[in-house]
């Protein structure tokens, strides 16, 4: 099995955008940038995290423009909207000066729910993220349990989903 770096994923998706499966390549590219944002965010590189998140959001929005029924794009958009809205007050003000779009936590949760219920490619990831944000950030254990139930049923041996 060959593993690709996050940069390689976005480059391959960019090369494939001219092909007929443009929307799916947009999802791959957008989620590649989301993965980059997560990785550099763990190293506390705030500017690089913001740039990668905004770039990923741009590609996912473009995908929804091309195919409004592509529910999988909602995974990345939901995570963007959720996490941008949960930033500190100071962090929310700075993007206004830099031109970064804001987010809405409730919209993000709805988008994650859409990806978790009708997404074709991202259901598992969306359910996992819905469980994670509901339990750790919102302390909504009912929603977290509902999101985790299909995961624990489908993947009973995976300790991440317990």
């Amino acid at each position: 099995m060959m593993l690709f770096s996050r940069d390689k994923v976005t480059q391959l998706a960019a090369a494939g955008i001219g092909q007929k499966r443009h929307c799916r390549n947009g999802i791959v590219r957008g989620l590649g940038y989301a993965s980059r944002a997560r990785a550099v965010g763990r190293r506390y590189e705030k500017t690089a995290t913001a740039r990668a998140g905004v770039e990923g959001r741009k590609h996912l929005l473009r995908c929804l423009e091309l195919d409004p029924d592509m529910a999988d794009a909602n995974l990345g958009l939901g995570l963007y909207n959720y996490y941008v809205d949960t930033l500190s007050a100071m962090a929310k003000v700075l993007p206004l000066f830099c031109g970064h779009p804001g987010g809405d936590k409730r919209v993000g949760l709805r988008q994650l729910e859409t990806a978790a219920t009708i997404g074709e490619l991202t259901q598992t990831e969306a359910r996992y993220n819905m469980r994670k944000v509901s339990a750790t950030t919102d302390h909504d254990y009912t929603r977290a349990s509902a999101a985790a139930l299909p995961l624990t049923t489908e993947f009973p041996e995976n300790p991440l989903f317990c």
Side-chain angles (χ1 to χ4, degrees), residues 63-77:
C63 179
L64 282 179
E65 283 177 22
L66 294 172
D67 184 1
D69 295 328
M70 183 54 79
D72 293 304
N74 286 296
L75 169 63
L77 293 172

Side-chain angles (χ1 to χ4, degrees), residues 42-76:
R42 288 188 177 138
R43 295 189 307 249
Y44 300 103
E45 296 177 20
K46 294 173 181 69
T47 304
T49 302
R51 281 191 192 125
V54 169
E55 189 67 19
R57 178 183 179 274
K58 179 180 81 173
H59 290 288
L60 293 169
L61 286 173
R62 177 72 177 134
C63 179
L64 282 179
E65 283 177 22
L66 294 172
D67 184 1
D69 295 328
M70 183 54 79
D72 293 304
N74 286 296
L75 169 63

Side-chain angles (χ1 to χ4, degrees), residues 140-162:
D140 184 349
Y141 303 111
T142 305
R143 182 186 297 137
S145 179
L149 183 61
L151 296 173
T152 56
T153 303
E154 189 173 351
F155 307 101
E157 300 297 319
N158 190 333
L160 288 176
F161 297 155
C162 296

